[in-house]
Amino acid sequence: MPAAPRRHDPDRRARLIRVTLDVIAAHGVAGTTHRRIAAAADVPLGSLTYHFAGLDDLLTEAFTLLADTVSGRFEARLATATTRAEACEAVVDLVVEEDWATPRTMLLSYELYAYAARVPALAAVMRDWMGKSRAALERHFSPEEARALDAMIEGLTIHRSVDPRPAGRDEVRAIVERLAAPLP
């Protein structure tokens, strides 16, 4: 019997990383297994061990993709601002517009936070993500303001994902203006 033809799949490694985020979103990190990822990606189980040293390696790659994707969108939104007032409005957008903090992104972020608390490699991914966020904010704000605004963005987006009556645009704008106000 002739061998089955090999499937040409040059994007397999990248696809496995993307699919891993889907599996994490569906089952959490605790429920993410090689078998679930292989099934979701429709690849042989051995593909995972061919491309990744282990599940932690794959999870790190997947969460790095998440962090890079979200920080890229964050950076792009802040890059459109040419004045401090526009930068403040961009920060408001990052909090209140669901394009930036979708339910899926928030769920994956919660998984990353929890996993990073236990796995040093993931803590490094989180620190890199925070560094990119702060660098984008520092184009328009002082380092102290950027740090406070970054924490506010994280906190309010988390609150918005579970609060039945989250802060509206005007309330968020008032908070941003207080945090970004020049000191006397």
Side-chain angles (χ1 to χ4, degrees):
M1 177 172 214
R6 292 185 63 139
R7 183 162 65 174
H8 181 67
D9 192 359
D11 188 41
R12 182 173 290 186
R13 186 177 194 285
R15 188 163 45 88
L16 288 168
I17 293 168
R18 289 189 306 269
V19 167
T20 298
L21 289 174
D22 295 337
V23 173
I24 295 167
H27 302 282
V29 169
T32 298
T33 65
H34 281 109
R35 287 189 191 287
R36 280 192 168 140
I37 296 166
D42 190 28
V43 300
L45 188 57
S47 288
L48 277 78
T49 56
Y50 176 80
H51 290 287
F52 303 97
L55 190 56
D56 281 343
D57 182 36
L58 181 50
L59 291 170
T60 300
E61 293 274 348
F63 280 129
T64 299
L65 173 63
L66 172 71
D68 289 347
T69 301
V70 175
S71 66
R73 283 190 243 146
F74 186 100
E75 200 171 322
R77 178 60 187 98
L78 283 162
T80 65
T82 58
T83 65
R84 189 172 172 95
E86 288 175 359
C88 286
E89 201 59 31
V91 171
V92 173
D93 289 346
L94 290 167
V95 173
V96 301
E97 290 185 2
E98 200 169 282
D99 292 351
W100 309 107
T102 66
R104 181 179 187 272
T105 299
M106 291 309 301
L107 179 62
L108 288 168
S109 297
Y110 299 150
E111 291 289 335
L112 173 54
Y113 279 117
Y115 197 57
R118 292 177 179 81
V119 179
L122 270 294
V125 171
M126 287 297 306
R127 285 191 300 275
D128 184 55
W129 186 354
M130 286 188 316
K132 288 176 182 176
S133 297
R134 289 180 187 165
L137 287 162
E138 285 176 12
R139 287 188 196 148
H140 307 284
F141 306 101
S142 72
E144 295 78 17
E145 291 168 331
R147 184 179 179 95
L149 288 167
D150 184 43
M152 183 272 309
I153 292 166
E154 294 267 338
L156 283 182
T157 54
I158 289 169
H159 283 222
R160 290 184 69 77
S161 72
V162 295
D163 190 340
R165 291 186 5 207
R169 180 172 281 280
D170 291 339
E171 187 178 352
V172 173
R173 186 179 295 111
I175 294 167
V176 170
E177 289 169 357
R178 281 193 298 271
L179 290 173
L183 295 175

